[in-house]
Amino acid sequence: MKLSEDVSGPTVALKERAVLLFREHLGAVRRRTDRLFAGLMLAQWAFGILVALFVAPYGWEGKDGAPHAHVYAALFLGAALTVFPIALARWRPGDAATRHGVALAQMLWSSLLIHLTGGRVETHFHVFVSLAFLALYRDPWVLLSATCATIADHIIRGFLWPESVYGVVDPGWWRFLEHGFWVGILDMVLLHAGRGMRREMREVAVRRAELELAREREEEKSAALDRALRELSGFQEHLIRVEKLAAVGQLAASVGHELRNPLAAVRNAHAYLSRRLSRDVIGAADDPRVPQFLGVMERELGACAKIISDLLDFARERPPALQPCPLRPLVDEAIGVVPPRDGVRIINEVPESLPVPSLDKEQFRQVLVNLVQNAVEAMPTGRTGQVSVLAEGQDAGPWAIRVIDDGAGIPPDVLPKIFEPLFTTKTRGTGLGLAIVANMVQRHGGTISVRSEAGRGSEFHIHLPATAAAQAA
């Protein structure tokens, strides 16, 4: 079997798939046609018996009426012509032997009906109808078998028993040519139509094959994409683990570096105090360097505690414990914790009449302390400046808290990195302060952003959702 020539450049896989689909479709059509003829045979059998009964029902043998031989012919010969093709359709549906058996039986049924009606011209149309039905098989060889059978029947019976075919004793030798001519004309029409139907079936098979192959290719691409996504997910997890390990290493180095200096200062102060006290405990009280070194120890141990506190704040994921928290007193507490600096004024501009939001007091105090302290430290040395804390919000609306300074500002290349853990431009510090601020604000369901301009200062903007005020109400 070949594909239609109008299919341009089909691949081998496409050809094989199209041939398979064409065969499956053609087989299904032929099996349906077998079932159609099985039913048709039964109907013809019943029709033949009725014709035998009512058209030529009885013959007379003496004084008693008896069934005519036509009735026996319709009953028993019709049974043979019916059972045989039905058995083939039942046990071997779609086979070539079944098609040819059905064709032979159908054309013999035409002969029987023509005989039962005494060779009436109208009954000869059963031949043409039968050929049209047989064309449903889309098999030109079936039409050939049927045509040969009916022509042979006309020739043989026309020679031996002409009245059973033509209804007259002497129809003329050329009558079979007349019938054969019209059968040939019908065959050519049916062959042409059958060829067109087979071509359409091939074209449909090619289109289906193209669709199926395209769908399989899409499924293969989808599977490959899924594999790639899984591999990418694996790489991402591996990268995250590597980044975490790198972060841990960087954090350890940063914390170790930051702890080393204050601990070295504490150790030196402790060494001096040990020596001084070992020599003269009473005279040490009058040594002005003793309180100086004690102050150094206190300050540096405080720095160590601050580093450890930042580290714990960054590592812990404690959810916020929300409670009504007036903002203005909270800002005052935060400002009181920040070490003062000469020339830098810190102003609490939060209105006293502001509604009370719901916040985690300790976490948000830490947020404000870090932002205010960073703003103070951003002020250039020797220059005066101002840090302002503002807030606004309503009971049923979102909240905004701003920390504004007029310091040196943040360079544009540094601005995108300031919330990254361990990133810092200071000579001292772990780089966790703003990362801790961002985490705590996010735990409150809020966002933080910054706007800065070199030489004109920065503005940190905290946006909290309306639920904060609603929960506090």
Side-chain angles (χ1 to χ4, degrees):
M1 187 175 297
K2 296 181 179 179
L3 282 172
S4 177
E5 295 297 330
D6 57 356
V7 179
S8 58
T11 63
V12 175
L14 177 62
K15 285 183 176 180
E16 293 176 349
R17 181 67 61 88
V19 169
L20 179 63
L21 292 174
F22 174 77
R23 287 177 175 173
E24 289 178 351
H25 188 192
L26 188 59
V29 169
R30 288 173 173 172
R31 288 190 292 274
R32 286 200 304 269
T33 308
D34 286 341
R35 293 193 293 271
L36 172 67
F37 271 106
L40 183 62
M41 294 296 176
L42 291 174
Q44 289 176 148
W45 189 18
F47 179 75
I49 293 174
L50 292 176
V51 168
L53 287 174
F54 294 103
V55 176
Y58 291 94
W60 289 96
E61 295 180 358
K63 297 181 179 180
D64 300 326
H68 193 273
H70 290 170
V71 177
Y72 293 114
L75 187 63
F76 297 107
L77 184 56
L81 295 179
T82 300
V83 173
F84 174 66
I86 289 178
L88 287 175
R90 172 68 178 83
W91 300 110
R92 303 189 63 179
D95 280 6
T98 301
R99 296 195 297 275
H100 289 282
V102 168
L104 181 61
Q106 182 64 22
M107 301 319 294
L108 291 178
W109 257 113
S110 296
S111 301
L112 179 58
L113 291 175
I114 291 171
H115 167 70
L116 292 176
T117 58
R120 292 179 64 86
V121 175
E122 295 86 349
T123 314
H124 282 265
F125 283 97
H126 188 275
V127 175
F128 304 125
V129 174
S130 297
L131 289 173
F133 275 93
L134 291 171
L136 296 176
Y137 278 121
R138 273 86 156 170
D139 187 349
W141 299 108
V142 170
L143 290 179
L144 178 62
S145 297
T147 301
C148 290
T150 194
I151 290 177
D153 172 70
H154 277 62
I155 292 174
I156 295 172
R157 283 201 297 154
F159 179 74
L160 299 177
W161 194 4
E163 59 271 28
S164 67
V165 181
Y166 306 114
V168 294
V169 178
D170 187 15
W173 65 269
W174 46 268
R175 289 292 298 273
F176 80 95
L177 293 179
E178 180 185 7
H179 287 245
F181 171 76
W182 291 112
V183 169
I185 294 296
L186 179 62
D187 280 344
M188 286 190 288
V189 173
L190 293 176
L191 288 173
H192 178 74
R195 184 179 180 185
M197 287 188 288
R198 290 171 67 92
R199 182 172 61 252
E200 291 177 357
M201 291 176 62
R202 289 193 184 96
E203 291 174 354
V204 170
V206 172
R207 300 295 178 264
R208 285 187 55 191
E210 290 175 343
L211 290 175
E212 291 182 0
L213 291 176
R215 185 169 62 248
E216 290 177 359
R217 286 195 293 269
E218 291 300 323
E219 291 174 352
E220 291 175 356
K221 290 180 181 177
S222 178
L225 182 59
D226 289 340
R227 289 195 298 272
L229 289 176
R230 288 195 294 272
E231 292 176 358
L232 180 59
S233 177
F235 288 146
Q236 286 178 333
E237 292 177 359
H238 177 70
L239 181 60
I240 291 173
R241 288 196 295 272
V242 171
E243 289 180 346
K244 285 182 177 178
L245 291 174
V248 169
Q250 187 179 357
L251 180 63
S254 176
V255 171
H257 175 74
E258 293 302 322
L259 288 176
R260 183 177 59 185
N261 292 335
L263 289 177
V266 170
R267 185 177 58 189
N268 291 336
H270 178 267
Y272 176 80
L273 292 176
S274 297
R275 287 195 304 270
R276 186 69 182 84
L277 291 174
S278 62
R279 288 198 303 269
D280 183 8
V281 175
I282 298 175
D286 298 331
D287 188 347
R289 301 191 65 183
V290 171
Q292 177 185 352
F293 277 112
L294 288 174
V296 168
M297 292 178 65
E298 182 181 2
R299 184 180 69 250
E300 296 301 331
L301 288 175
C304 291
K306 176 68 168 53
I307 294 171
I308 294 173
S309 178
D310 286 349
L311 187 60
L312 291 176
D313 288 340
F314 179 73
R316 283 185 302 196
E317 292 290 341
R318 182 176 68 81
L322 301 180
Q323 58 181 334
C325 181
L327 266 181
R328 185 174 176 85
L330 187 63
V331 173
D332 285 335
E333 285 183 31
I335 293 175
V337 174
V338 176
R341 181 172 167 180
D342 293 340
V344 178
R345 195 162 59 121
I346 307 175
I347 303 175
N348 182 356
E349 298 187 23
V350 177
E352 293 183 354
S353 59
L354 201 66
V356 178
S358 182
L359 303 170
D360 186 305
K361 183 177 180 181
E362 293 302 321
Q363 290 188 7
F364 229 80
R365 188 170 68 89
Q366 184 64 34
V367 169
L368 293 172
V369 168
N370 285 353
L371 292 178
V372 172
Q373 185 166 351
N374 280 348
V376 171
E377 293 175 355
M379 207 67 65
T381 304
R383 210 192 86 180
T384 59
Q386 178 175 304
V387 176
S388 302
V389 181
L390 304 91
E392 57 184 11
Q394 300 174 357
D395 288 338
W399 284 68
I401 302 171
R402 291 180 294 162
V403 178
I404 305 172
D405 69 78
D406 56 356
I410 305 173
D413 58 330
V414 175
L415 199 58
K417 306 176 184 177
I418 61 173
F419 293 112
E420 294 180 2
L422 306 177
F423 177 79
T424 180
T425 58
K426 301 176 183 177
T427 55
R428 298 190 64 179
T430 58
L432 296 176
L434 287 178
I436 293 171
V437 168
N439 281 340
M440 289 182 175
V441 171
Q442 289 175 357
R443 288 176 205 163
H444 282 75
T447 59
I448 184 170
S449 59
V450 60
R451 182 176 58 188
S452 184
E453 185 176 352
R456 302 190 64 177
S458 304
E459 176 181 343
F460 284 82
H461 187 151
I462 297 174
H463 178 86
L464 294 176
T467 52
Q471 292 175 359

